[in-house]
Amino acid sequence: MRVAVFSTKAYDRRFLDEANAAGRHELVYLEPRLDAATAPAAAGCQAVCAFVNDQLDAGVLAALHGFGVRMAALRSAGFNHVDLAAAARLGIAVGRVPEYSPYAVAEHTVALVLTLNRKIHRAHARVREGNFALDGLLGFDLHGRTVGVVGTGKIGLAFCRIMRGFGCRVLAFDPSHDPVAASEGVAYVELPELLAHSDIVSLHCPLTPATHHLIDAAALRRMKHGAMLVNTSRGAVVDTRAVIQALKAGTLGSLGLDVYEEEADLFFRDLSGEVLRDDVFARLLTFPNVVITGHQAFFTEDALRAIARTTLANLDGFADHGRPVHPVSVERLA
Ligand code: NAI
């Protein structure tokens, strides 16, 4: 099949070419993000291949359908950026990569936790300046602390296991309880209880209508004074403005983000020579107790290789049987 691959960087090409070594599909690499303006670039392609900030809303999907596109292969686990109902109506099959490396994301989450707790970002800058003072770098032992995990799917479970290894008590909230997690010492509780008792709250649920702004002003008020919040799931699970207020008030102790509500206009590009126009994001950058990475939790060789292989398998499945190997259907929205 001829496939328009949007939002591609050199690293995407490397792993997709490796997975497509037999040359079964003609991959047309496009740097721009998929949106209404760039959709015509898919003309003549049977499929598009999209990443997390590509826009697959009803309008874009209708345009793609008009250009002959019948499949969307997502290079991601998340599918909140796709109007699945519109795709179903148009007869566009959607495939995703349900699991590529939960370890990549879980390990990055731990990196954020350790950085915030031991102030590695500040220590690094200080030592380079010849400042070896320790004031302001005081952390706490993770051993014995309580970690609250929201969403114990593949990534959440991997994170729970690492934190159990540190000797933490792990509380979890998930509408569906995983007996494996429970057998490994993870205690399921309701969200208010998790928020009230956790020293660290880490988000690993998908972005759905039910989880949009799950962490809002009210949820932040329930959290322990001085607790740490880490979000490596999707930006809009957190109400960023409410979080800024909690940081200003000093009630939220620290914040680690790999995702941001309005990241589509920022992340995955070098904007270092440009004026930052997002005032909310700019405010976040002013806090010494906030560490932000630009949606890189997934970014390991192992994960990129697995993403490319599954993406090609989805394309093969659609070419052979009219169905990706890992389809996403409209029911998943519920
Ligand atoms: P998964 O589907 O294995 O697990 C998601 C879990 O969240 C499920 O157990 C589900 O029952 C639970 N859940 C659903 N609604 C919930 C709610 N209202 N409250 C609490 N839990 C809820 O997904 P996986 O692979 O663990 O990924 C989780 C999320 O991580 C993805 O949806 C994606 O948004 C994000 N992600 C971020 C990446 C990054 O680079 N920062 C990379 C990959 C995924």
Side-chain angles (χ1 to χ4, degrees):
M1 286 195 300
R2 191 173 153 85
V3 185
V5 190
F6 285 89
S7 296
T8 45
K9 306 281 183 199
Y11 48 79
D12 295 307
R13 289 196 284 275
R14 175 183 152 201
F15 290 101
L16 287 168
D17 282 344
E18 190 182 289
N20 191 39
R24 176 153 190 216
H25 302 283
E26 185 190 344
L27 304 180
V28 181
Y29 292 119
L30 303 159
E31 275 184 41
R33 199 150 62 87
L34 171 60
D35 58 21
T38 60
C45 293
Q46 292 81 55
V48 291
C49 181
F51 198 46
V52 289
N53 290 326
D54 287 318
Q55 205 179 312
L56 291 111
D57 59 23
V60 170
L61 286 167
L64 290 174
H65 187 266
F67 294 125
V69 170
R70 295 294 178 268
M71 191 220 166
L74 309 179
R75 304 197 297 283
S76 59
F79 46 85
N80 51 283
H81 52 310
V82 185
D83 186 332
L84 293 176
R89 266 197 316 278
L90 291 160
I92 296 180
V94 180
R96 68 170 183 141
V97 186
E99 179 174 14
Y100 43 90
S101 170
Y103 313 108
V105 183
E107 289 169 12
H108 189 78
T109 308
V110 177
L112 290 174
V113 169
L114 291 171
T115 301
L116 284 167
N117 177 25
R118 307 307 294 266
K119 282 87 175 165
I120 302 298
H121 54 306
R122 300 188 65 199
H124 178 69
R126 276 191 199 185
V127 168
R128 287 170 67 95
E129 289 288 320
N131 176 358
F132 304 103
L134 298 183
D135 314 70
L137 302 183
L138 194 63
F140 55 84
D141 284 12
L142 285 171
H143 188 272
R145 297 284 169 151
T146 301
V147 178
V149 179
V150 179
T152 54
K154 291 173 282 294
I155 295 168
L157 179 59
F159 178 71
C160 287
R161 286 175 169 156
I162 299 172
M163 299 320 286
R164 291 281 297 151
F166 274 110
C168 295
R169 173 178 172 234
V170 178
L171 302 179
F173 169 68
D174 192 313
S176 96
H177 292 196
D178 178 355
V180 175
S183 74
E184 293 182 16
V186 173
Y188 281 98
V189 295
E190 290 303 314
L191 186 59
E193 192 181 339
L194 179 149
L195 296 173
H197 295 289
S198 299
D199 300 293
I200 298 166
V201 173
S202 191
L203 307 176
H204 300 287
C205 55
L207 175 61
T208 65
T211 62
H212 184 266
H213 285 189
L214 186 73
I215 303 300
D216 58 6
L220 288 159
R221 275 195 297 275
R222 289 182 193 276
M223 285 176 66
K224 255 179 140 169
H225 188 92
M228 178 191 297
L229 175 66
V230 181
N231 186 14
T232 58
S233 63
R234 284 291 180 268
V237 175
V238 168
D239 178 346
T240 314
R241 286 182 166 79
V243 153
I244 287 173
Q245 290 310 317
L247 285 164
K248 280 169 75 176
T251 51
L252 184 63
S254 56
L255 174 70
L257 295 180
D258 185 53
V259 287
Y260 168 60
E261 284 187 86
E262 306 297 332
E263 70 176 50
D265 292 331
L266 294 171
F267 288 2
F268 305 124
R269 284 175 296 156
D270 180 1
L271 301 177
S272 54
E274 295 187 23
V275 171
L276 183 54
R277 292 200 179 80
D278 184 329
D279 291 344
V280 175
F281 192 76
R283 184 68 180 92
L284 278 177
L285 294 178
T286 66
F287 293 100
N289 49 349
V290 172
V291 169
I292 306 176
T293 51
H295 207 141
Q296 72 170 83
F298 73 101
F299 199 58
T300 66
E301 284 192 11
D302 312 74
L304 289 195
R305 187 162 290 118
I307 288 171
R309 283 187 186 150
T310 306
T311 298
L312 267 293
N314 277 332
L315 292 170
D316 288 348
F318 185 75
D320 293 338
H321 314 292
R323 188 180 154 82
V325 181
H326 299 287
V328 193
S329 61
V330 70
E331 294 79 44
R332 301 270 326 192
L333 275 177

